[in-house]
């Protein structure tokens, strides 16, 4: 049976594109993107998704409390009957209400080798810490900041003279490989249940 994926974005949606490409070429089999949802109505990724014929929806925060905003999103995701939620550059911490509503069905990709450098500016944190390697992590989302169980990681060397931009670009290349692989493996596990 085809699994329905929701992708939450706040910006350009490059990981959303990587997931859409992987579904289209069969790297993620038996899956479809039910909706691409953003908290930012002007997110460039919404336009990209629309150009691909994917349903999109913006649910702006509008100064609401986190849980109030999340309740509206959860309602939409339930209506869409999603099996898995992929955070792809979604720049908002989910409320416990949201996490509990889709327990063990929310994935995130983070630009560091967690548990190192959680939160914002992970690449800058790695450089400031003098790390010799960095990378990316796909993990389950729980009620901690980037602390949920790790699913998969890819390593990237930190090169002499690296800037936040150069390191970020190399990590992003690996994110676009790792996220589809991780999603495919999780969906295969869901299929076995």
């Amino acid at each position: 049976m085809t699994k329905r994926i929701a992708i939450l974005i706040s910006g350009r949606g490059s990981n959303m594109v990587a997931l859409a490409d992987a579904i289209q070429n069969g790297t993620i089999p038996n899956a479809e993107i039910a909706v691409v949802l953003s908290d930012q109505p002007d997110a460039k990724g919404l336009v990209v998704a629309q150009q691909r014929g994917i349903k999109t929806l913006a649910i702006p925060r509008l100064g609401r409390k986190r849980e109030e905003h999340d309740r509206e999103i959860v309602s939409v995701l339930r209506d869409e009957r999603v099996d898995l939620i992929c955070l792809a550059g979604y720049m908002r911490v989910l409320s416990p209400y949201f996490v509990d509503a889709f327990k063990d069905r929310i994935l995130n990709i983070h630009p560091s080798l967690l548990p190192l450098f959680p939160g914002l500016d992970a690449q800058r944190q790695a450089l400031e810490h003098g790390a010799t390697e960095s990378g990316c992590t796909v993990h389950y989302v729980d009620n901690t900041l980037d602390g949920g169980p790790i699913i998969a990681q890819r390593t990237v060397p930190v090169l002499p003279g690296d800037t936040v931009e150069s390191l970020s670009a190399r990590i992003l290349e690996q994110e676009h490989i790792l996220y589809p692989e991780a999603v495919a493996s999780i969906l295969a596990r869901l299929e076995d249940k």
Side-chain angles (χ1 to χ4, degrees), residues 34 38 55 65 93 104 110 119 126-127 140 177-178:
S38 181
K55 180 177 181 177
K65 288 190 172 16
V93 174
D104 299 328
H110 183 76
L127 290 172
Y140 286 105
I177 298 166
L178 183 67

Side-chain angles (χ1 to χ4, degrees), residues 46-175:
L46 290 176
V47 175
V48 174
Q50 289 163 358
Q51 290 168 342
R52 289 171 165 254
I54 300 169
K55 180 177 181 177
T56 61
L57 190 59
I59 301 180
R61 300 176 196 174
L62 302 173
R64 294 181 284 176
K65 288 190 172 16
R66 178 174 288 130
E67 185 173 317
E68 185 184 351
H69 182 240
D70 283 358
R71 281 183 181 274
E72 185 176 351
I73 295 171
V74 166
S75 176
V76 167
L77 297 177
R78 284 181 171 147
D79 288 348
E80 291 292 339
R81 302 177 329 279
V82 301
D83 298 294
L84 191 68
I85 299 162
C86 296
L87 307 183
Y90 188 66
M91 302 307 289
R92 185 143 165 107
V93 174
L94 303 181
S95 66
Y97 172 82
F98 193 144
V99 173
D100 293 345
F102 292 96
K103 190 161 177 50
D104 299 328
R105 293 192 293 144
I106 308 171
L107 308 183
N108 184 43
I109 187 150
H110 183 76
S112 80
L113 297 173
L114 292 174
L116 297 173
F117 316 122
L120 294 174
D121 297 321
Q123 302 91 330
R124 183 180 312 284
Q125 290 182 59
L127 290 172
E128 288 175 354
H129 194 267
T132 57
E133 63 180 19
S134 187
C136 51
T137 303
V138 176
H139 65 95
Y140 286 105
V141 174
D142 65 9
N143 288 312
T144 63
L145 179 63
D146 296 325
I150 291 170
I151 297 164
Q153 294 183 311
R154 284 182 83 95
T155 303
V156 169
V158 177
L159 304 176
D162 253 338
T163 62
V164 170
E165 293 74 23
S166 63
L167 180 57
S168 297
R170 281 202 317 287
I171 292 172
L172 190 61
E173 287 176 11
Q174 297 306 310
E175 289 181 28

